[in-house]
Amino acid sequence: MAPSTTCVASQLRQLIYYNIDNNLLSNALFYAERLVAYDHRNAESQYLVSLCHFRLGDNASAYESSKSAGSRGVNLGCAYIFAQASLALERFKDGITALEKSKALWGGKNSFGKHTASSRQPLPDAAAILCLLGKLYHGYDNMHKAISCFEEALKLNPFMWDAFTNLCETGTKINVPNIFKMNPEMEAALRVGPQESSDSQSRDQSLPKTEHDRSRPGARPASVSDVADPFNNVPSRAYGGGLFGTLGISQKLNESNPSLTNLPAAGGGGIGPEAMETPTGPSASIDVSAVQNRRDPGMSSYAGEAPPAPVRKTRTIPGLGMDFSMDAPKMSRAVSTKRAQRQPEPIEESAATQALRSNNLAPPAGERKRTVSGQVVPRQTSEDPGAPQRRSVRLFNQIRPTSTKSSSNVPNIGPAPGRELKKARPPISKIMRPSSSTSTVGRQVSGNRKPVEDSMDVDQKETHSRSWIGTVTNIPSQKSSEPELSRQEEAVRFLLELFKKFGSGYFALSRFQCSEALQIYGSLPRTQQETPWVLAQMGRAFYEQAAYAEAEKYYKRIRHVAPTRFEDMEIYSTILWHLKRETDLAFLAHELIDATWQSPQAWCALGNSWSLARDHESALRCFKRATQLNPKFAYAFTLQGHEHVANEEYDKALVSYRAGMAADKRHYNAWYGVGRVYEKLGSYDKAINHFKTASNINPTNAVLICCIGTVLEKQKLPRPALAYFTKATELAPRSALTRFKKARTLMAINELQYALEELTILKNLAPDEAMVHFLLGQLYKKLKQRGDAVHHFTVALNLDPKASQQIKEAIELLEEDEEEETSMMG
């Protein structure tokens, strides 16, 4: 008989998740295609094949595979993959539509604290989807919606770092301490016990039922655990180990004792194989004090491993040949609290077989021998012949003739008169890992969870079982969970404080408040400061302040700590370009190119190296290659524009700069480049507009403010220009260029004393700069201090012999003026 499609699909899904978890994506894709062939109508199949395509980097195939279910928003997994592929393919509207249509599936979901080493949530929650939706709106140029989505994502989960960085890059003003703080959702998640939260969330996030099961007559209501959690280590409940397991449970039962198939059903309804994960309590007439640490042999057989085999005495029910060395049938109480799990397809078998099969009555290993009468031959002793009897056997020997009470829920088994079963203890769930017979997770049906020890050595002291009376309580669990809860909450608060510093530093740097960013990053723990990301941020802050020597130290440290890191290496190459380190720059470029040819940062470094060597054509080729590798790499377009300006190709430079502006509207370097081109072309109004836009993006950059003043100076507006030069010197007091321009403007409006103060400071900043001494000579000439003027003209001549003609003319004019004054006085 051929297996059903549902069974095959279940095993294929197991294989797919196995390969995905082990990062064997090609294998996973192969099995996902087989799953689609078997179960093509199920949206889950489309989700898995599109997930494999997306993780393999095949965005177009992921888009097509998830389109049918994802674009309509009927399956959350398909909609999420479809939106991610749409973002990569820049089909922003398609992704937005898919996520908006599926809002009913993800709205209000929160998986915070539900991802651990042993549990996963296969589908995203609201915070993750809102972050993706914000990126889509950002690409669609709807900044208002994008900002709203990022804010909502951070309200739900302040650890959504991607949403925070994107929000910073939009230029939005943010109150960082209000983001990185404990919110009610997080507090509620922390109050839930780790086992309870992982259990309930795995049921919550399980994949949807197949169309076959939805339409099946008499099917149970859709339960949160109707589909197996792909990340749960519980064996397949419907197939007793499935593809890699042992014989089916019902098959073992029938082979070990054929008479069991004629037993009546246990009270409480037929609990089929779906009860394997959460079995109910035992219904045999055993003293509850003896059951606490009993091993369940049926569970061991389900896990595919044989339990230890001490000496056992075999007791049988008269007329049935039932082996009492196995557990008695368990009653089906509190069914409503169990994790409901479905059977892929109905299997015709007696109700008693279902009840026994659900209670793990399969023999531990292999098929048992029977006598001619059908009774099972007792077990032989194993390798330890002196081991004591199993406690359950001793108990059965003691209580066999004395049971008087019967449970109303459990019928008598077989025609044995005078023998009634005692009331069962409260059911305890045991979740067994596929390859382990000693590691379980216990759960009371009431919902309070606590670990239950399942392993029991035969020589263990019996005082534990004697002291255990009544039901299993959760008092020890509560006592131990309180300090654990406080520790977890303390850890979350610590991380929030740490990320508040990270966020404050990142936000300050995004607004180009470099000194504040450096102060915040400097307050981080030393171990965090030594990470490549923080080093790059601190180096970037010094770079934006034009402190290139300091910035170089941090990038050198990055090369030592993370030699394979390519991110931010284009900034390091620009720093070396400004420092005129031609050899170091060439070495860096060749290191990066040798490591990989596919890195746009490496091509930018090589382009800067050619630019420093004044080979602008080679530099242009490198920068164009960088933009081919990453069409959104705004800085590479800007570097192209700089090279075109060096070649006086202003039209091409404008094209490059505008491409950089299109890639990143807040890339102030591109706005600055367009302003420079218009300044060179004499379009001063356009130049000022672009310089002001760049200055609005980066209000702390003294060079941009100085450029505005320079254009105003060329428009014969010295006093407005002086205001910009003054502001620039306040922002960069050690900038020689801004002080030089300020002093020159002060001289132009005859503010000679103020000009002298600025030039005196400037002389100390740049004592070897010929232009400073030349300007000082002209100032002293206006002040009628001929000796000082001649002194500074002579120093300027010595520092810059190439400008000797201009300096000599200034000295001659000084002498002529002196002669004219002498003749007039005479």
Side-chain angles (χ1 to χ4, degrees), residues 9 144 456 554 625 667 671:
H144 178 73
M456 171 65 186
Y554 286 91
R625 177 59 180 157
H667 186 59
W671 291 92

Side-chain angles (χ1 to χ4, degrees), residues 484-785:
E484 176 65 22
L485 174 60
S486 63
R487 284 197 297 268
Q488 292 296 334
E489 186 172 346
E490 182 183 358
V492 171
R493 293 188 185 278
F494 169 79
L495 288 175
L496 285 170
E497 286 298 320
L498 177 63
F499 291 132
K500 187 187 295 182
K501 292 183 179 180
F502 278 107
S504 299
Y506 189 91
F507 176 67
L509 189 54
S510 72
R511 299 183 72 83
F512 301 98
Q513 297 168 353
C514 302
S515 299
E516 183 181 345
L518 286 169
Q519 184 178 1
I520 294 170
Y521 286 132
S523 67
L524 290 171
R526 186 65 184 173
T527 53
Q528 295 291 340
Q529 289 186 40
E530 287 298 313
T531 57
W533 189 88
V534 177
L535 290 171
Q537 289 286 298
M538 298 181 76
R540 180 69 177 266
F542 279 114
Y543 163 76
E544 295 293 350
Q545 290 180 319
Y548 301 123
E550 287 296 321
E552 183 193 11
K553 296 177 183 177
Y554 286 91
Y555 284 101
K556 274 186 175 180
R557 181 65 180 158
I558 292 173
R559 294 296 297 163
H560 176 73
V561 173
T564 57
R565 180 185 171 97
F566 291 90
E567 191 176 357
D568 300 310
M569 287 300 105
E570 74 280 6
I571 302 298
Y572 184 27
S573 67
T574 302
I575 290 168
L576 294 175
W577 186 93
H578 282 291
L579 294 173
K580 309 301 179 187
R581 302 278 180 79
E582 189 170 350
T583 304
D584 293 341
L585 180 54
F587 183 73
L588 172 67
H590 282 287
E591 267 193 330
L592 297 175
I593 287 291
D594 288 344
T596 176
W597 287 76
Q598 303 301 317
S599 168
Q601 293 87 354
W603 286 101
C604 280
L606 187 58
N608 274 331
S609 180
W610 285 117
S611 176
L612 188 57
R614 293 181 176 81
D615 189 344
H616 301 298
E617 292 300 326
S618 297
L620 275 170
R621 285 195 292 269
C622 294
F623 295 140
K624 286 179 180 177
R625 177 59 180 157
T627 57
Q628 288 172 354
L629 291 169
N630 184 2
K632 293 293 184 181
F633 197 8
Y635 190 57
F637 285 113
T638 301
L639 292 175
Q640 279 186 43
H642 292 343
E643 296 306 309
H644 286 304
V645 169
N647 286 340
E648 298 184 354
E649 299 170 341
Y650 299 124
D651 292 338
K652 292 182 180 179
L654 287 174
V655 172
S656 297
Y657 287 135
R658 284 168 180 158
M661 291 159 58
D664 182 5
K665 291 183 179 179
R666 285 181 53 81
H667 186 59
Y668 74 91
N669 307 76
W671 291 92
Y672 160 77
V674 174
R676 279 187 62 202
V677 172
Y678 280 129
E679 181 186 354
K680 289 180 179 292
L681 294 175
S683 299
Y684 296 130
D685 291 336
K686 291 182 179 179
I688 287 179
N689 290 336
H690 283 83
F691 284 140
K692 284 184 176 180
T693 303
S695 182
N696 290 335
I697 297 171
N698 185 356
T700 63
N701 192 301
V703 175
L704 296 175
I705 297 172
C706 189
C707 287
I708 298 173
T710 303
V711 176
L712 291 172
E713 189 181 27
K714 290 181 178 180
Q715 289 181 312
K716 309 298 182 184
L717 299 171
R719 291 196 178 275
L722 179 61
Y724 282 98
F725 290 139
T726 303
K727 184 178 179 181
T729 53
E730 291 172 356
L731 289 172
R734 298 189 62 81
S735 173
L737 179 62
T738 55
R739 285 197 181 274
F740 178 81
K741 291 188 176 183
K742 181 182 178 182
R744 190 173 62 186
T745 306
L746 286 168
M747 287 175 62
I749 60 175
N750 284 322
E751 296 283 352
L752 301 181
Q753 289 299 325
Y754 290 115
L756 181 60
E757 292 176 5
E758 293 295 331
L759 286 173
T760 303
I761 298 172
L762 184 58
K763 182 182 68 172
N764 296 328
L765 287 175
D768 298 330
E769 186 63 48
M771 286 300 297
V772 175
H773 290 280
F774 181 74
L775 195 60
L776 269 170
Q778 289 182 328
L779 177 62
Y780 281 122
K781 177 184 173 182
K782 287 187 176 184
L783 292 173
K784 309 298 183 182
Q785 298 179 14

Side-chain angles (χ1 to χ4, degrees), residues 18-39:
Y18 171 83
N19 285 283
I20 288 176
D21 289 346
N22 289 283
N23 204 31
L24 302 171
L25 299 177
S26 297
N27 290 353
L29 177 60
F30 174 79
Y31 291 119
E33 290 177 350
R34 309 289 78 74
L35 177 62
V36 171
Y38 271 101
D39 197 6

Side-chain angles (χ1 to χ4, degrees), residues 14 17 21 114 118-123 198-207 224-235 237 277 339 341:
Q14 176 188 344
Y17 279 113
D21 289 346
K114 308 304 185 296
S118 58
S119 67
R120 299 286 189 277
Q121 305 304 314
L123 299 179
S198 63
D199 186 37
S200 62
Q201 286 296 322
S202 64
R203 297 195 303 259
D204 240 2
Q205 303 293 339
S206 59
L207 298 171
V224 288
S225 61
D226 273 350
V227 179
D229 185 353
F231 300 101
N232 197 345
N233 290 327
V234 180
R237 294 176 286 274
E277 183 176 327
R339 293 180 60 183
Q341 295 163 355

Side-chain angles (χ1 to χ4, degrees), residues 3-16:
S4 67
T5 301
T6 309
C7 300
V8 174
S10 175
Q11 293 298 338
L12 283 173
R13 280 193 291 270
Q14 176 188 344
L15 289 170
I16 293 166

Side-chain angles (χ1 to χ4, degrees), residues 61-216:
S61 296
Y63 179 91
E64 290 299 327
S65 301
S66 58
K67 185 175 182 179
S68 61
S71 60
R72 294 181 289 118
V74 297
N75 180 275
L76 181 56
C78 288
Y80 191 63
I81 296 297
F82 182 75
Q84 286 183 308
S86 298
L87 178 64
L89 298 172
E90 299 185 7
R91 300 174 184 176
F92 306 115
K93 185 63 175 177
D94 293 347
I96 291 169
T97 304
L99 293 181
E100 292 290 358
K101 285 183 178 180
S102 64
K103 192 169 185 178
L105 301 176
W106 55 264
K109 290 177 64 175
N110 195 338
S111 300
F112 177 79
K114 308 304 185 296
H115 291 254
T116 66
S118 58
S119 67
R120 299 286 189 277
Q121 305 304 314
L123 299 179
D125 63 353
I129 292 180
L130 283 168
C131 181
L132 176 58
L133 197 55
K135 294 177 185 177
L136 289 164
Y137 275 121
H138 187 276
Y140 196 59
D141 207 17
N142 189 339
M143 299 306 299
H144 178 73
K145 282 276 193 180
I147 292 170
S148 176
C149 289
F150 290 139
E151 288 176 347
E152 289 299 321
L154 287 167
K155 285 178 184 177
L156 293 173
N157 186 356
F159 292 106
M160 192 61 64
W161 182 253
D162 206 12
F164 176 78
T165 56
N166 279 279
L167 197 59
C168 291
E169 288 165 8
T170 61
T172 308
K173 189 173 182 180
I174 303 172
N175 190 351
V176 178
N178 283 347
I179 292 176
F180 296 97
K181 64 180 182 180
M182 190 79 77
N183 59 35
E185 289 83 0
M186 297 168 63
E187 291 177 353
L190 287 173
R191 290 192 192 102
V192 181
Q195 293 180 6
E196 180 178 357
S197 61
S198 63
D199 186 37
S200 62
Q201 286 296 322
S202 64
R203 297 195 303 259
D204 240 2
Q205 303 293 339
S206 59
L207 298 171
K209 297 178 71 174
T210 61
E211 298 297 331
H212 169 74
D213 290 313
R214 288 197 186 100
S215 61
R216 187 176 58 190

